[in-house]
Amino acid sequence: MREEATAFVPGHITGFFSAHPAEDPTKAGSRGAGLTLTDGVEVTVEPAAGPEPTVVLDGEPIDVDPVTTVLDTLDAPARVEAESDLPIGSGFGVSGAMAIGTALAANRVFERKLSRNELVTIAHGAEVQAGTGLGDVVAQAHGGVPIRLEPGGPQDNKLDAIPARARVEYVTFGQLSTSEVLSGDTDQLTAAGTEALSRVVEEPTLLSFMYASRAFAREAGLLTEDVVGTIEDVTAVGGQASMAMLGETVFALGTGLSDAGYDPAVCATHPAGAVLK
Amino acid sequence: MREEATAFVPGHITGFFSAHPAEDPTKAGSRGAGLTLTDGVEVTVEPAAGPEPTVVLDGEPIDVDPVTTVLDTLDAPARVEAESDLPIGSGFGVSGAMAIGTALAANRVFERKLSRNELVTIAHGAEVQAGTGLGDVVAQAHGGVPIRLEPGGPQDNKLDAIPARARVEYVTFGQLSTSEVLSGDTDQLTAAGTEALSRVVEEPTLLSFMYASRAFAREAGLLTEDVVGTIEDVTAVGGQASMAMLGETVFALGTGLSDAGYDPAVCATHPAGAVLK
């Protein structure tokens, strides 16, 4: 057994998605597209002092169901310490990042000898089961600007990507509960997500992604007043902004938010997926 | 049209492979596994001054068939300038790197609006058609330590990966012609490659990869005297080394070659696949 291992997992802003439930959580998931971010989560795993696992985020003990499930599945009684650049519950995939970071690092510390796809499958299934996300894990494993053409873990899904990178700015006004939205009626959302995906598949550019993402946010009925106002402010100065799914967060390409007079966090798309450090 | 674009593509050392020909070059390819490297190729594309494309590698004009095919396919009369950290013809996937780097950068400069998978498919097909490689392009698009479970481009293949990173050292004694080896009888090689792959799938660790790679090099009958002696020297000091397919190149994990008294080039596995800069 190694003493500890650390993984970095990029954040992931979902621009749009459609929900695809299934009995088997490794086959359930979402189609959609998003931006993985250089702002992310660093996850360090070491053997726990006692028999019970402990999970700490930014210094505070926390219960993160997908992380507990990953540790159970890997038979890894571990202490997990995560440091996040990103706010939780605001559409950046922090829970997904913690799940896959834990899987990668625990596999190393406890020498479980699983493949990358196996680890991603475990983290994806744990996230779906917890209802905290449907597509962040596979996107965060991929990096770049992934397009999720088929739902599910790596054995079932099909990914493509927009071959581009960009500076990304964001501001957050508050949380939205992913599990509440996902457990409600998702028909309208899924219709809007399917429409958005076909647009981006037809023209896989960042501009068409932003356009599809804005149309999705409108049609899915998830916009809040703060979000609408901010997107309008960015549009007014000629910028490209949309809403992160699912959080009360506005993201923009380039200097869109700064140009509109906001004081955003600044990062960029991340070229790589989740990695051991 | 943009003025220019630059892509970085990691080098790729194939540890073992099996050849899988097919009529359609986007479906042909290889199974196997390898290491993508932080030493790689930077490819800059700009519109050509005249109607004919020009290709330059490390300051010298050069004909690289897969690059010409990629430019033709993208209808991109370009000047391509590549700078390589790696020797050509020695098992590092330089031609594959030039093909996919050209595809990514030309797509941007000439605004062809293709997806990442489409660009990788074009580069992979061009490389297979030229006979210069069978699996480098898809591995270089993936990054990390990819396991190629099924041959072909992104529409057909299936990738997994060893979830690990490592320092990598290498020394090169000379070139081997990939197209000569691949155009000969590949039955013995493919049997050895299939055996090696099942070992690594069973235990996806760097150690089992190095073991499988050495067994492959022996059984495929590609070892040269220099290579055998060098691998033995590394083994004698407790290190892990094998031969890069296809080149007269020995690579080692960690400080294997330095420990054995060689003066190797030093790099590491690369966490990301080919990226626009």
Side-chain angles (χ1 to χ4, degrees):
Chain A
M1 198 151 54
R2 284 164 192 276
E3 287 195 349
E4 64 168 55
T6 299
F8 173 79
V9 186
H12 179 240
I13 288 176
T14 299
F16 58 83
F17 70 102
S18 56
H20 299 274
E23 286 280 314
D24 179 345
T26 68
K27 295 187 188 304
S30 59
R31 297 190 173 91
L35 309 172
T36 65
L37 303 179
T38 51
D39 277 4
V41 183
E42 198 166 282
V43 182
T44 299
V45 168
E46 59 182 358
E52 287 303 309
T54 56
V55 181
V56 172
L57 174 62
D58 294 333
E60 299 290 330
I62 186 174
D63 271 334
V64 184
D65 284 351
V67 172
T68 315
T69 307
V70 166
L71 292 175
D72 282 353
T73 310
L74 292 177
D75 190 16
R79 176 180 167 81
V80 176
E81 273 207 51
E83 298 281 338
S84 177
D85 303 318
L86 297 160
I88 198 162
S90 305
F92 295 101
V94 172
S95 63
M98 289 182 70
I100 185 176
T102 300
L104 281 166
N107 179 65
R108 190 172 168 82
V109 170
F110 294 89
E111 293 173 1
R112 292 295 176 253
K113 299 183 177 175
L114 297 184
S115 78
R116 184 168 172 99
N117 282 358
E118 287 166 337
L119 296 168
V120 175
T121 301
I122 289 168
H124 171 78
E127 168 100 324
V128 169
Q129 218 167 4
T132 45
L134 289 175
D136 287 328
V137 168
V138 297
Q140 289 166 321
H142 186 276
V145 187
I147 306 172
R148 290 169 289 110
L149 297 169
E150 297 293 343
Q155 303 303 323
D156 297 281
N157 70 4
K158 207 168 133 61
L159 298 177
D160 199 346
I162 295 172
R165 58 197 302 173
R167 171 186 157 115
V168 179
E169 297 186 341
Y170 59 88
V171 289
T172 293
F173 302 105
Q175 304 195 349
L176 281 182
S177 166
T178 297
S179 50
E180 259 174 47
V181 172
L182 294 183
S183 64
D185 182 357
T186 55
D187 285 358
Q188 193 182 343
L189 182 156
T190 287
T194 304
E195 175 77 23
L197 183 60
S198 75
R199 168 182 289 275
V200 169
V201 166
E202 200 174 307
E203 188 177 314
T205 63
L206 287 176
L207 215 59
S208 105
F209 165 76
M210 295 302 288
Y211 189 101
S213 173
R214 274 197 303 276
F216 174 82
R218 271 196 311 271
E219 290 160 28
L222 293 164
L223 291 165
T224 65
E225 211 172 305
D226 280 339
V227 166
V228 171
T230 308
I231 293 176
E232 283 174 358
D233 290 343
V234 175
T235 306
V237 295
Q240 291 290 336
S242 188
M243 177 183 173
M245 300 296 153
L246 291 161
E248 214 181 333
T249 294
V250 173
F251 67 98
L253 299 183
T255 54
L257 282 159
S258 318
D259 291 348
Y262 290 83
D263 183 24
V266 177
C267 60
T269 54
H270 193 256
V275 281
L276 284 168
K277 298 195 79 165
Chain B
M1 195 151 56
R2 284 165 191 273
E3 286 196 349
E4 64 169 54
T6 299
F8 173 79
V9 187
H12 179 241
I13 288 175
T14 299
F16 58 84
F17 70 101
S18 57
H20 300 273
E23 286 280 313
D24 180 345
T26 68
K27 295 187 188 301
S30 59
R31 296 189 173 92
L35 309 172
T36 65
L37 304 178
T38 51
D39 277 4
V41 182
E42 199 167 281
V43 182
T44 299
V45 168
E46 60 180 358
E52 286 303 308
T54 56
V55 182
V56 172
L57 174 62
D58 295 332
E60 300 288 330
I62 187 175
D63 269 333
V64 184
D65 284 350
V67 172
T68 314
T69 306
V70 166
L71 293 175
D72 281 353
T73 310
L74 293 177
D75 189 15
R79 176 180 168 83
V80 176
E81 273 208 53
E83 298 281 337
S84 177
D85 302 318
L86 298 159
I88 199 163
S90 305
F92 294 101
V94 172
S95 63
M98 289 182 70
I100 184 175
T102 299
L104 282 166
N107 179 65
R108 189 168 169 80
V109 170
F110 294 88
E111 292 172 1
R112 292 296 177 251
K113 299 184 178 177
L114 298 184
S115 78
R116 185 168 171 98
N117 282 358
E118 288 167 335
L119 297 169
V120 175
T121 301
I122 289 168
H124 171 78
E127 169 99 324
V128 168
Q129 218 168 3
T132 45
L134 289 174
D136 286 328
V137 168
V138 296
Q140 288 166 322
H142 186 278
V145 187
I147 305 173
R148 289 170 288 113
L149 298 169
E150 296 294 344
Q155 303 303 322
D156 297 282
N157 71 3
K158 208 167 131 61
L159 297 177
D160 199 346
I162 295 172
R165 58 197 300 172
R167 173 187 154 113
V168 178
E169 297 186 344
Y170 60 87
V171 290
T172 294
F173 302 106
Q175 304 195 350
L176 281 182
S177 164
T178 297
S179 51
E180 260 175 45
V181 172
L182 294 182
S183 62
D185 182 358
T186 55
D187 286 358
Q188 192 183 341
L189 182 157
T190 286
T194 304
E195 174 79 22
L197 182 60
S198 75
R199 166 182 292 273
V200 168
V201 167
E202 201 174 308
E203 187 177 312
T205 63
L206 287 177
L207 215 60
S208 105
F209 166 76
M210 295 302 288
Y211 190 101
S213 173
R214 275 196 302 276
F216 174 83
R218 271 196 311 271
E219 289 161 27
L222 294 165
L223 292 166
T224 65
E225 212 173 302
D226 281 337
V227 167
V228 171
T230 308
I231 293 176
E232 282 174 358
D233 290 344
V234 175
T235 306
V237 295
Q240 291 289 337
S242 187
M243 177 182 171
M245 300 297 157
L246 294 157
E248 212 180 336
T249 293
V250 174
F251 67 99
L253 299 182
T255 54
L257 282 159
S258 317
D259 292 349
Y262 289 83
D263 183 23
V266 177
C267 61
T269 54
H270 193 257
V275 281
L276 283 168
K277 302 196 78 167

